[in-house]
Amino acid sequence: MKQHGFFDENDRLKELSALGDPLEKLNKYIKWDNFRGILNKTLKKEAQGPGGRPPFDYVMMFKILILQKLYNVSDDQAEYQIKDRLSFQRFLGLALCDTVPDAKTIWHFREELVKANILDTIFYRFVRQLEEQEIISYSGSIVDATFVDAPRQRNSKAENQKIKEGKVPEEWEGKKKKHKKSQKDIDARWATKNKERHYGYKDHVKIDAESKLITKFSTTSAAVHDSQELSKLVDEKDNILYADSAYVGEEIQKCIPRKAKNRIHEKGYRNRPLTKTQKANNTRKSKIRARVEHVFATMTNTMRGIVVRSIGMARAHANIALMNLTYNFWRYIFLMRGKRAYA
């Protein structure tokens, strides 16, 4: 075996760069320090006295959460992969001699963000940055939703009935059962689509048709119909609105801004099928509307799955916010690289 050299680590990192390290591109295009102010303001605590280990850098911890969403890894796997992979260490600004946050520290940091409820703020600050750079044009907007699968619960029929009624089963109450209750998700729901069963939540999104960037989102249980969240997604910025036929109805029309052109797919009904003209119109609309499927495909394939490992709506929403933000980061560097190529 060759003897370990002083420059071996740098040489290996140069090789990774030559192969096209995607994390290096994230560091190049994302201005991470833009998030330092809100993270420090929200999370920084007064020292309780001398001694004790200083906290890890908040921006570095935030980047770990982005890594987790990009590669779909748990807290334990995040700790292991950071220690194991030079590309992860370089992305986070760590050297081999530096201490790596353990799984509990990563979990605690994410919990602090959930309690502070600042991930939505971070997401929409980045959207405003994209608007200021004129990357988001709002020439057309597309709305849709996707299932976000959560860990499946093994409850009895009686327990599930109580949960549907918005109650907590008596069997989970009491001091002796508090640990069982903490492991039960009373917010997630079952839903069926195309004969496929899903358990968990839904990510309702609006994307900019031109850039394919997510501009708004909301979180519900999987049982909520897509159309019920439309009023939370559309606003006066929308000029043209695209959606599939799930968003048809009089109440839906009321949600759409007056100036926005309605390009929602028309829907056929029993004894009243679509005409040839309506079908042709839907086909034309599909060429634009289908772009939202590219967003979900990126999350499923590049980001390795649309899932959450958490329990409860608050944590699910935080994880979905991180997932949408990570997608926007990924899409942003793709768009910026394209601009540089044609500059």
Side-chain angles (χ1 to χ4, degrees):
M1 293 179 66
K2 292 176 63 177
Q3 188 173 358
H4 179 71
F6 184 75
F7 297 105
D8 286 355
E9 183 181 344
N10 284 334
D11 291 343
R12 182 56 57 84
L13 287 171
K14 288 179 181 178
E15 291 176 6
L16 291 174
S17 297
L19 291 169
D21 180 5
L23 297 179
E24 199 172 21
K25 295 180 178 68
L26 266 179
N27 273 344
K28 180 179 180 180
Y29 290 107
I30 303 299
K31 307 302 181 186
W32 298 107
D33 266 348
N34 289 349
F35 306 109
R36 186 176 298 281
I38 187 172
L39 290 171
N40 285 346
K41 183 179 179 181
T42 304
L43 302 175
K44 197 168 186 178
K45 298 177 181 177
E46 294 294 330
Q48 298 298 313
R53 188 185 70 185
F56 287 103
D57 179 74
Y58 293 140
V59 173
M60 183 198 71
M61 294 299 299
F62 177 64
K63 289 169 75 174
I64 290 176
L65 301 188
I66 299 301
L67 272 181
Q68 286 185 284
K69 289 303 171 189
L70 189 57
Y71 292 95
N72 192 13
V73 293
S74 65
D75 295 339
D76 289 314
Q77 268 297 302
E79 177 188 354
Y80 175 82
Q81 294 290 348
I82 293 167
K83 291 178 177 177
D84 184 61
R85 299 173 69 167
L86 288 176
S87 61
F88 279 25
Q89 292 169 28
R90 176 168 65 179
F91 174 68
L92 298 172
L94 295 172
L96 284 172
C97 59
D98 290 329
T99 303
V100 172
D102 60 23
K104 288 184 179 179
T105 302
I106 296 170
W107 177 87
H108 182 264
F109 178 77
R110 186 172 50 254
E111 284 292 293
E112 289 296 303
L113 293 185
V114 173
K115 291 175 185 176
N117 194 26
I118 65 166
L119 287 168
D120 280 27
T121 303
I122 292 174
F123 175 87
Y124 287 112
R125 280 192 181 184
F126 187 62
V127 169
R128 283 199 298 273
Q129 176 190 323
L130 297 170
E131 291 172 344
E132 290 167 2
Q133 292 180 248
E134 297 183 347
I135 294 174
I136 294 176
S137 66
Y138 291 108
S139 58
S141 299
I142 310 169
V143 294
D144 205 351
T146 186
F147 290 108
V148 182
D149 292 326
R152 297 192 174 189
Q153 306 283 295
R154 299 290 182 253
N155 304 325
S156 67
K157 288 185 178 180
E159 289 172 336
N160 280 332
Q161 185 58 41
K162 287 283 186 181
I163 293 170
K164 287 181 181 179
E165 294 170 0
K167 302 175 183 177
V168 177
E170 294 84 354
E171 298 85 350
W172 301 354
E173 299 286 6
K175 292 183 179 180
K176 294 183 179 180
K177 298 292 184 179
K178 65 178 181 179
H179 296 298
K180 181 175 182 178
K181 182 181 176 181
S182 67
Q183 297 300 316
K184 293 293 185 178
D185 194 335
I186 60 174
D187 298 321
R189 293 290 185 273
W190 286 96
T192 303
K193 184 175 182 179
N194 299 328
K195 298 182 180 180
E196 186 176 354
R197 294 275 282 167
H198 294 270
Y199 178 80
Y201 300 88
K202 267 187 182 179
D203 182 13
H204 303 259
V205 301
K206 179 176 72 176
I207 73 162
D208 180 54
E210 186 175 351
S211 64
K212 298 182 188 176
L213 287 158
I214 299 172
T215 57
K216 265 191 174 184
F217 77 98
S218 68
T219 305
T220 67
S221 75
V224 173
H225 193 271
D226 297 0
S227 62
Q228 292 183 31
E229 293 296 292
L230 184 65
S231 61
K232 297 178 182 178
L233 299 177
V234 297
D235 53 45
E236 294 300 325
K237 294 178 182 178
D238 301 316
N239 294 305
I240 307 174
L241 186 66
Y242 297 89
D244 63 27
S245 57
Y247 294 86
V248 170
E250 290 183 10
E251 292 301 316
I252 296 299
Q253 188 62 43
K254 294 177 184 177
C255 298
I256 302 173
R258 290 183 180 179
K259 71 166 188 175
K261 296 178 182 178
N262 186 340
R263 295 292 183 268
I264 297 175
H265 279 41
E266 296 177 81
K267 186 177 182 179
Y269 296 92
R270 189 175 183 180
N271 299 323
R272 200 177 70 187
L274 293 175
T275 65
K276 289 184 178 180
T277 301
Q278 288 174 315
K279 290 179 180 179
N281 289 337
N282 281 353
T283 300
R284 282 195 295 272
K285 295 170 186 176
S286 289
K287 293 179 180 179
I288 302 297
R289 194 214 66 82
R291 294 177 184 177
V292 72
E293 303 300 341
H294 304 166
V295 176
F296 298 145
T298 298
M299 291 179 174
T300 301
N301 299 315
T302 304
M303 295 168 59
R304 297 163 170 80
I306 305 177
V307 298
V308 294
R309 294 182 174 86
S310 55
I311 293 174
M313 178 63 77
R315 292 188 179 110
H317 180 77
N319 277 297
I320 289 169
L322 280 168
M323 179 176 67
N324 291 338
L325 180 61
T326 302
Y327 165 80
N328 273 359
F329 285 162
W330 196 250
R331 180 65 185 169
Y332 175 70
I333 66 171
F334 175 84
L335 294 170
M336 293 304 293
R337 287 167 62 197
K339 279 190 172 185
R340 291 176 66 90
Y342 291 103

